[in-house]
Amino acid sequence: MKEIDWSNIGFGYMKTDFNVRCTFTDGKWGELEVHEDEYINMHMAATCLHYGQEVFEGLKAFKGKDGKIRIFRMDENAKRMQSSCEGILMETLPLEKFQEAVIKAVKLNERFVPPYGSGASLYIRPFLFGISPQLGVNPAKDYLFIVLVSPVGPYFKGGFATTPFVIMRQYDRSAPLGTGKYKVGGNYAASLVAGQHAHSLGYSNIFYLDAREKKYIDECGAANFFGIKNNTYVTPKSTSILPSITNKSLMVLAKEMGLTVEQRSIPVEELATFEEAGACGTAAVISPIERIDDFDTKISYVFSKDGKPGPICDKLFHKLQGIQYGDEPDLYSWTTVV
Ligand SMILES: *Cc1c(COP(=O)(O)O)cnc(C)c1O
């Protein structure tokens, strides 16, 4: 294998040796299969192609100083994928099967797990979709589950730093009673135009408000929001956001650090009162926010004047990364050593 420059790979697809698959046919899940082929042969009328029957997950494996590989909170991803499947009438995969497939995919592609210290990790993408034909709008009878992996570089190449976000009321990602709380491909299709618009204006991503009233904060791009003030970690409670596992973990760590944690509606104007703010998700852990510009009112909410993350964002980020790489004690059994 050609030497990989681990610290300079981005967040892109890199071919690895194997992917792991499992098919649901005749009303039952089959055995796990190992494939080298990156392609799938599927019926042209498959429901995933026409009616968006597709759900996915995203998690990571990390190589520690001790040489061990740790997968972060995969039981949570397994449960969330079941919830997503139920949300769009797809067959759910048993939790053990999900975890078995993830471990297998990581072990088989062990040589692609980036070394400790590179800041890189192995991204794991489990996904499940309807493969049998339907022309009427109906769920598929058969399903395919695949786990692919790809090494990804450090999210912050120049070190942990802040970026600007923008509120734009002309776009919604999901409706209050819609599919926003599920990790389904359709939500991403619905966000592409908004994301590109925000990027073209120089922002790292768009900030969505609740679709009904446009009064409360929902999510930033494909990450949850949190704000810090008066020693309190505040994150939105909403029926249209994806329950982030990173956010869930940060809430536990914030409490451990002595912060109060509040999960409630956050009116846009409250942004002016936060001392720090961040977007959180598997890709970056925390992407600290420099400022949020309101495209419509022209108000700018500034959280960092020097491009540096605030002290609490910094502490939370290093604590969570420390657990993932095995540098910090794993008090909550969040990691699985493979
Ligand atoms: C995946 C995702 C997140 C982050 O979830 P994590 O479990 O922390 O990776 C946040 N918002 C959306 C819309 C997502 O799809």
Side-chain angles (χ1 to χ4, degrees), residues 10 34 38 44 57 83 110 119 323:
V34 175
E38 291 168 277
M44 63 184 175
E57 274 303 327
S83 156
E110 195 174 338
I323 296 170

Side-chain angles (χ1 to χ4, degrees), residues 80 173 183 188 219 221-224 242 244-246 280-282:
R80 190 170 64 187
R173 187 188 76 94
K183 213 167 173 76
Y188 279 73
E219 284 198 80
N224 279 187
L242 197 278
S244 154
I245 296 161
T246 312
C280 59
T282 294

Side-chain angles (χ1 to χ4, degrees), residues 167 171-177 180-181 206-221 223-226 235-242 247 264-268 271 278:
I167 294 170
Y171 301 111
D172 288 322
R173 187 188 76 94
S174 65
L177 303 176
K181 58 183 181 293
I206 186 167
F207 221 83
Y208 295 103
L209 301 184
D210 76 285
R212 196 195 329 247
E213 298 190 78
K214 301 277 181 182
K215 263 170 76 174
Y216 304 101
I217 293 162
D218 250 7
E219 284 198 80
C220 15
N224 279 187
F225 170 82
F226 67 87
T235 191
K237 191 181 176 74
S238 159
T239 54
S240 48
I241 65 181
L242 197 278
N247 196 7
R264 57 167 169 83
S265 301
I266 304 177
V268 188
L271 287 176

Side-chain angles (χ1 to χ4, degrees), residues 8 34 41 48 56 102 109 124 128 166 174 185 211 236 248 253 269 281 290:
N8 280 311
V34 175
N41 193 3
C48 63
F56 67 97
V102 166
N109 294 293
I124 306 163
L128 199 162
V166 64
S174 65
K248 192 172 175 175
L253 298 179
E269 310 76 55
E290 177 200 333

